[in-house]
Amino acid sequence: MKQLTQKEEEIMDRYWQYGPMQIRELQTHYDEPQPHVNTLATLVKILEEKGFLGHRALTARCFQYFARISREEYRGGSLAAVVDKLFGHSYLSAVSTLVKSEKISVDELKALIREVEDNR
């Protein structure tokens, strides 16, 4: 899965939060000073080329854009890319690193294992 830049992720966050919208609507979800509509249009086009957004024509020159991937799908793909790149495709190595660096406790890990087993 392709990764998003910070600006692209900001746009996707708005589509995930507010749903389908036109670029002018997207602009209204930014605080002042709002990004220029042309800047947003360029980034939306890039996101569409990357497969994160799709569009439907409302009129001949008016398009509504929508997320083609959920936030959860993006998170899962991003996590997989990090594990692949930094831990040689080993989720066990990634979790081991988290435990060793005390980012997750052994008790939290045990609770996670119980949760996963209960959901099987």
Side-chain angles (χ1 to χ4, degrees), residues 1-16 43-53 67-79 81-82:
M1 171 181 294
K2 295 182 180 181
Q3 297 301 300
L4 298 173
T5 66
Q6 181 180 349
K7 294 292 184 190
E8 291 168 349
E9 196 165 336
E10 287 174 10
I11 290 173
M12 288 305 301
D13 281 338
R14 284 162 175 85
Y15 277 99
W16 288 324
L43 290 167
V44 163
K45 181 179 179 188
I46 291 168
L47 286 165
E48 192 170 23
E49 289 170 357
K50 287 183 172 183
F52 287 94
L53 291 177
R68 296 186 69 190
I69 182 171
S70 71
R71 186 185 309 257
E72 292 73 26
E73 290 170 316
Y74 178 67
R75 284 181 181 159
S78 295
L79 178 59
V82 168

Side-chain angles (χ1 to χ4, degrees), residues 107-120:
D107 289 338
E108 290 172 319
L109 188 56
K110 288 177 183 177
L112 178 61
I113 291 168
R114 280 192 302 275
E115 183 181 322
V116 168
E117 288 176 339
D118 290 345
N119 289 328
R120 283 189 174 186

